[in-house]
């Protein structure tokens, strides 16, 4: 089946990865003006007819699907067709890009200056760009970058312009449109603006979907959007959002295009520009509103060193190949193409599976720097570490990560002590080395000191460091789930360990990218990797820990411990302190207050329990498991807690994982 073409990457160590080239190197040695005004002649889609942004809007407004939607809305609302037509035109005018090469050249000049000051290097895989160029010529292309920073979409366009590739049109949130001057500049460099949510606005949805599909059908330009929907504040991949991906695939499902190429792009930062901002947001500090004045105030970042950046363009994924044997497109022949249809369960499942696999591909091609390994060690030693011990642990961790297939950028011909000291120097805003000991830096709280304020600053420091550890979580995740399952299982029998593994995987499937329906494959992968690194051996009746496993398995268990503790805190709050008629909006501040109380009492050391991201993911898991339900009461939706179910889950996470029916046949 088609899905296997994405899923069969079970030994990432064997995967050949492309070489990188620093796109800033030439910029440092030649004129930025000449670069900005270079001859720009990108390869275009072979079926493309000349089309300006204004012509594109005309095509959208005259399209059969939009005209059908306009007539429907008119009939339902009682407004005349002309009035609804004007509303649709206004929506499109607000939404549409107005790409101008002159604006792109201005950005090319400005960004070249900015990137040379911010980054030591911006490394891109050249073979990936060659594959992308060929894909753009042959099929409509959808670019799907990971999203860790506002810098992502600027860097994407900068790289494509630098390498003479067709510039993308980029789905952007309305927040940017409200920025004076900057919003219009972004629009003229290829951004089109969409609302964060459409509700039941049929007309808006019709205009938006037809605009995207018209660009896809014509091969007008690569369409770029973030599968995760928003920036990850934790550096973990977020659960993919399916709306735009569904729209992007629909022209293929309806037979309007031969194929669509989906290109996952992995963007890795040695140091994230927004690191401290993200930690504060996770602790409840409101996100600063996007504004031109805020952008100008952010100029101080130019005095900082953000190290290197890697952008890996993955191999284009053919929707046609994926759908072969899985999607029956002939069902669309019974309904005229211009009439909107709700996607079938078959298509919804296919789009969902594809989205997860694409995010996993993004993860696998993330380039990890030595600091990620250092942060991982420090998060398991919050009281600090001797520098010599940290160096030794980092080298051990490097070798383990490599055996699991991590995409590590470890400098050749450089001593490990120099690698570690260089990383510590780059991140001196987070760590301090004093008397041969390394520890996290904690800022002094502003204003009068209080236990709560001191805890907040410690949490900012810990969550900032945790965001770098999170960059490597996908490498260790499956072996770590197996390590915890082995610890919790009542016997080493493979079926019992699998049952524990399956429970944990299900519990944390909102927290991590775990592809639906792949529990057995993930278990097999975890077993394979732990055998490969020498931590366990597989016996006829079970799984046995080796001597080296007595070091590896506790480390892996400790990787998941903050999440285990955080979920238990959420369960405990719901069982002990949930008031009647608790709303979803009240949930996060209430759980955070409960976790603060536990911290100050000394019964909790895990700072992740204070993170709104973990709290929301835990609630999503409990809703999915029917331990909590949403109930509409009067004019609000409240959370109804099944305390017996939640208490059972808390106990299970505490180590008493239930034994279910053996599944030896599946193993």
């Amino acid at each position: 089946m088609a899905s296997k073409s994405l899923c069969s990457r079970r030994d990432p160590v064997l995967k050949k990865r492309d070489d990188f080239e620093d796109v800033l190197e030439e910029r440092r040695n030649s004129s930025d003006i000449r670069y900005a005004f270079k001859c720009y002649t990108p390869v275009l889609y072979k079926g493309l007819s000349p089309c300006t942004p204004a012509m594109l809007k005309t095509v959208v407004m005259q399209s059969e699907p939009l005209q059908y939607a306009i007539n429907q809305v008119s009939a339902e609302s009682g407004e005349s067709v002309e009035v609804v037509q004007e509303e649709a035109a206004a929506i499109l005018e607000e939404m549409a890009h107005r790409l101008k090469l002159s604006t792109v050249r201005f950005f090319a000049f400005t960004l070249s200056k900015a990137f040379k000051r911010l980054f030591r290097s911006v490394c891109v895989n050249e073979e990936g760009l060659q594959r992308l160029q060929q894909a753009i010529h042959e099929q409509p292309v959808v670019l799907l970058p990971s999203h860790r920073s506002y810098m992502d979409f600027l860097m994407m366009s900068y790289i494509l312009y630098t390498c003479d590739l067709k510039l993308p049109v980029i789905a952007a949130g309305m927040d940017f449109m409200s920025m004076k001057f900057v919003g219009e500049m972004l629009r003229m460099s290829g951004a089109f603006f969409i609302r964060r949510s459409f509700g039941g606005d049929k007309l808006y949805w019709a205009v938006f979907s037809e605009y995207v599909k018209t660009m896809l059908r014509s091969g007008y330009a690569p369409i770029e959007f973030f599968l995760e929907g928003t920036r990850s504040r934790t550096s973990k991949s977020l659960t993919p959002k399916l709306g735009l991906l569904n729209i992007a695939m629909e022209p293929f499902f309806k037979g309007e295009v031969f194929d669509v190429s989906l290109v996952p792009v992995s963007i890795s930062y040695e140091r994230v520009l927004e690191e401290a901002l993200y930690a504060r947001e996770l602790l409840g500090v409101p996100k600063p509103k996007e504004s031109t004045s805020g952008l100008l105030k952010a100029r101080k970042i130019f005095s900082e060193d953000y190290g290197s950046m890697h952008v890996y363009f993955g191999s284009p994924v053919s929707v046609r190949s994926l759908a072969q044997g899985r999607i029956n497109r002939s069902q669309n022949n019974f309904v005229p193409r211009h009439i909107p249809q709700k996607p079938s369960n078959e298509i919804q499942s296919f789009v969902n599976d594809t989205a997860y696999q694409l995010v996993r591909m993004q993860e696998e091609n993330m380039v990890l720097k030595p600091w990620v390994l250092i942060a991982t060690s420090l998060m398991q030693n919050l009281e600090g570490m001797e520098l010599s011990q940290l160096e030794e642990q980092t080298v051990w961790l490097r070798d383990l990560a490599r055996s699991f297939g991590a995409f590590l950028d470890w400098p050749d011909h450089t001593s490990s002590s120099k690698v570690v000291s260089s990383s510590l120097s780059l991140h001196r805003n987070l760590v301090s080395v004093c008397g041969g000991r390394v520890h996290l830096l904690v800022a002094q709280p502003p204003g009068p000191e209080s236990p709560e304020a001191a805890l907040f600053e410690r949490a900012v420091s810990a969550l900032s460091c945790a965001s770098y550890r999170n960059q490597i979580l996908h490498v260790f995740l499956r072996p770590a789930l197996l390590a915890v399952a082995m610890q919790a299982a009542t016997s080493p029998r493979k079926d019992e360990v699998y049952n524990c593994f399956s429970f944990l995987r299900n519990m944390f499937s909102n927290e991590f990218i775990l592809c639906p329906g792949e529990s057995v494959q993930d278990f097999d992968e975890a077993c394979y990797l732990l055998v490969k690194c020498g931590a366990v051996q597989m016996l006829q009746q079970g799984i046995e820990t080796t001597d080296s496993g007595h070091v590896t398995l506790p480390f892996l268990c400790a990787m998941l411990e903050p999440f285990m503790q955080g979920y238990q805190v959420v369960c405990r709050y719901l069982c002990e302190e949930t008031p009647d008629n608790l709303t979803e909006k009240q949930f996060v501040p209430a759980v955070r207050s409960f976790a603060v109380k536990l911290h100050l009492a000394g019964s909790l050391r895990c700072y992740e329990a204070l993170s709104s991201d973990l709290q929301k993911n835990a609630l999503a898991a409990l809703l999915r498991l029917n331990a909590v339900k949403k109930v509409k009461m009067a004019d609000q939706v409240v959370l109804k807690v099944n305390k017996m179910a939640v208490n059972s889950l808390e106990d299970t996470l505490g180590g008493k994982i239930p034994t279910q029916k053996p599944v030896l046949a599946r193993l």
Side-chain angles (χ1 to χ4, degrees):
M1 275 196 343
S3 57
K4 289 180 184 172
S5 63
L6 275 177
C7 300
S8 58
R9 307 175 315 279
R10 289 303 166 204
D11 188 358
V13 182
L14 299 177
K15 181 177 175 182
K16 180 188 177 297
R17 292 183 172 109
D18 304 339
D19 294 327
F20 286 91
E21 183 178 322
D22 179 11
V23 296
L24 292 185
E25 188 176 350
E26 189 179 337
R27 298 278 45 77
R28 297 189 196 280
N29 301 314
S30 60
S31 162
D32 288 328
I33 285 281
R34 275 205 302 274
Y35 159 72
F37 287 92
K38 69 175 185 156
C39 178
Y40 174 66
T41 52
V43 170
L44 304 177
Y45 174 51
K46 62 188 177 186
L48 179 64
S49 302
C51 184
T52 64
M55 289 165 63
L56 181 67
K57 285 191 282 188
T58 302
V59 173
V60 172
M61 287 304 300
Q62 293 175 352
S63 68
E64 271 192 292
L66 184 53
Q67 288 300 314
Y68 178 85
I70 286 169
N71 287 322
Q72 260 203 330
V73 171
S74 171
E76 290 170 8
S77 67
E79 292 182 325
S80 68
V81 170
E82 290 73 19
V83 168
V84 179
Q85 182 99 3
E86 284 177 17
E87 288 174 18
I91 291 169
L92 184 57
E93 190 62 31
E94 176 190 67
M95 180 186 299
H97 76 84
R98 288 198 290 274
L99 184 63
K100 287 186 179 177
L101 189 54
S102 57
T103 308
V104 170
R105 293 189 188 282
F106 169 79
F107 265 120
F109 175 79
T110 309
L111 292 176
S112 192
K113 296 285 186 195
F115 292 155
K116 284 188 289 185
R117 291 188 65 178
L118 289 170
F119 302 109
R120 297 175 186 177
S121 61
V122 173
C123 301
V124 184
N125 62 322
E126 203 171 352
E127 289 175 55
L129 291 170
Q130 291 167 3
R131 292 190 295 262
L132 175 60
Q133 183 178 48
Q134 185 178 354
I136 289 172
H137 180 59
E138 292 179 356
Q139 308 293 350
V141 165
V142 178
L143 292 168
L144 301 165
S146 57
H147 201 15
R148 303 292 179 267
S149 170
Y150 276 142
M151 203 59 69
D152 296 333
F153 69 91
L154 296 172
M155 185 58 77
M156 285 287 293
S157 294
Y158 178 80
I159 290 168
L160 295 189
Y161 178 78
T162 300
C163 300
D164 222 28
L165 289 168
K166 179 68 178 165
L167 287 166
V169 288
I170 309 151
M174 282 291 191
D175 324 11
F176 291 103
M177 199 179 81
S178 61
M179 296 171 70
K180 289 178 184 174
F181 178 67
V182 174
E184 277 310 301
M185 291 290 287
L186 291 173
R187 190 192 293 277
M188 290 189 286
S189 62
F192 64 96
F193 297 100
I194 55 175
R195 297 174 190 167
R196 290 288 178 194
S197 61
F198 307 160
D201 192 333
K202 273 189 186 176
L203 187 62
Y204 192 93
W205 178 258
V207 173
F208 165 62
S209 60
E210 190 55 28
Y211 184 61
V212 173
K213 286 184 281 189
T214 299
M215 290 190 286
L216 260 170
R217 284 190 293 257
S218 64
Y220 175 83
I223 291 174
E224 179 185 319
F225 61 89
F226 299 108
L227 257 181
E228 297 164 283
T230 187
R231 289 173 299 160
S232 170
R233 270 70 175 169
T234 61
S235 288
K236 284 193 294 96
S237 296
L238 305 179
T239 301
K241 305 290 187 291
L242 306 181
L244 252 170
L245 188 61
N246 231 319
I247 291 172
M249 289 185 174
E250 192 178 309
F252 169 76
F253 294 144
K254 289 190 171 182
E256 296 170 318
V257 296
F258 180 77
D259 199 359
V260 175
S261 288
L262 308 174
V263 181
V265 185
S266 307
I267 304 178
S268 316
Y269 294 87
E270 188 167 13
R271 187 179 164 207
V272 178
L273 277 74
E274 301 99 326
E275 64 184 8
L277 195 66
Y278 286 167
R280 285 176 161 75
E281 283 183 37
L282 291 170
L283 293 168
V285 176
K287 181 185 102 168
K289 192 177 184 313
E290 286 82 359
S291 66
T292 306
S293 61
L295 184 66
L296 294 172
K297 286 176 189 169
R299 285 177 300 174
K300 63 181 181 183
I301 65 170
F302 290 112
S303 61
E304 296 280 343
D305 177 2
Y306 289 93
S308 62
M309 183 176 174
H310 285 77
V311 183
Y312 193 98
F313 288 83
S315 297
V317 174
S318 160
V319 174
R320 186 179 190 85
S321 297
L322 288 182
Q324 191 173 1
R326 190 164 172 192
I327 298 295
N328 175 18
R329 293 195 296 162
S330 62
Q331 61 192 340
N332 292 301
N333 296 338
F334 302 109
V335 181
R337 285 175 178 169
H338 67 271
I339 296 178
Q341 298 175 67
K342 186 174 182 243
S344 64
N345 291 338
E346 176 188 61
I347 284 177
Q348 286 179 4
S349 173
F350 172 75
V351 173
N352 187 55
D353 291 353
T354 302
Y356 271 88
Q357 297 292 352
L358 287 163
V359 176
R360 181 135 192 231
M361 290 169 78
Q362 288 176 345
E363 288 183 333
E364 288 178 351
N365 289 325
M366 288 284 187
V367 176
L368 305 170
K369 301 293 281 187
W371 168 247
V372 169
L373 305 172
I374 295 168
T376 300
S377 294
L378 289 172
M379 286 307 297
Q380 294 192 17
N381 297 273
L382 287 171
E383 69 288 348
M385 297 178 74
E386 293 296 322
L387 180 56
S388 57
Q389 182 196 1
L390 179 61
E391 288 171 5
E392 188 181 318
Q393 176 81 355
T394 302
V395 171
W396 177 81
L397 199 46
R398 175 199 66 189
D399 296 340
L400 182 65
R402 278 179 174 164
S403 77
F404 286 177
F407 198 171
L408 277 177
D409 180 32
W410 185 279
D412 294 327
H413 317 300
T414 306
S415 69
S416 57
S417 60
K418 279 190 178 177
V419 172
V420 171
S421 63
S422 172
S423 294
L424 292 172
S425 175
L426 180 67
H427 294 273
R428 57 186 172 274
N429 60 312
L430 280 181
V431 287
S432 170
V433 183
C434 185
R437 195 166 177 79
V438 184
H439 58 85
L440 293 182
L441 277 176
V442 178
Q444 282 298 314
E449 191 165 337
S450 68
E452 290 83 0
L455 173 61
F456 178 86
E457 294 301 337
R458 290 199 303 274
V460 167
S461 177
L463 292 181
S464 296
C465 188
S467 71
Y468 291 99
R469 175 211 57 201
N470 291 346
Q471 290 184 18
I472 202 170
L473 267 176
H474 67 275
V475 173
F476 295 120
L477 175 61
R478 288 155 187 81
L481 288 171
L482 179 55
V484 176
M486 288 175 65
Q487 187 182 66
T490 53
S491 85
R493 282 178 43 172
K494 196 175 179 184
D495 59 328
E496 287 202 23
V497 175
Y498 173 76
N499 289 333
C500 296
F501 177 92
S502 183
F503 166 80
L504 289 166
R505 187 186 183 281
N506 190 26
M507 191 77 209
F508 289 116
S509 62
N510 293 88
E511 193 72 46
F512 308 112
I513 296 301
L514 293 159
C515 301
E518 290 195 15
S519 185
V520 172
Q521 293 97 312
D522 283 345
F523 181 75
D524 289 344
E525 181 179 339
C527 291
Y528 168 76
L529 291 173
L530 287 184
V531 168
K532 184 171 180 287
C533 75
V536 303
Q537 57 183 358
M538 307 301 290
L539 305 176
Q540 191 172 5
Q541 288 301 315
I543 307 172
E544 184 179 87
T545 306
T546 63
D547 289 343
S548 66
H550 290 299
V551 175
T552 305
L553 297 184
F555 160 77
L556 292 171
C557 289
M559 287 285 285
L560 285 186
E561 184 61 26
F563 302 96
M564 302 278 286
Q565 278 191 35
Y567 276 48
Q568 287 177 75
V569 167
V570 170
C571 290
R572 189 173 158 191
Y573 166 76
L574 291 171
C575 287
E576 294 178 12
E577 301 212 1
T578 311
D580 291 336
N581 302 332
L582 176 73
T583 66
E584 198 168 359
K585 192 174 180 182
Q586 295 166 334
F587 170 79
V588 167
V591 174
R592 186 183 295 116
S593 296
F594 180 68
V596 165
K597 190 168 69 174
L598 295 177
H599 257 286
L600 295 176
S603 58
L604 177 66
R605 294 192 61 215
C606 157
Y607 291 101
E608 281 88 346
L610 299 168
S611 163
S612 58
D613 183 76
L614 181 143
Q615 293 155 3
K616 289 173 185 174
N617 289 338
L619 177 61
L622 294 171
L623 286 164
R624 176 171 45 80
L625 296 169
N626 292 318
V628 177
K629 291 188 176 177
K630 291 183 183 180
V631 178
K632 193 166 176 61
M633 291 183 65
D635 58 344
Q636 60 182 1
V637 176
V638 300
L639 301 174
K640 286 294 176 189
V641 181
N642 179 337
K643 293 193 177 181
M644 187 179 293
V646 171
N647 193 54
S648 172
L649 289 168
E650 183 192 349
D651 287 346
T652 305
L653 284 169
K656 298 170 238 165
I657 293 183
T659 301
Q660 300 164 4
K661 187 178 176 182
V663 282
L664 282 174
R666 295 169 65 203
L667 298 173

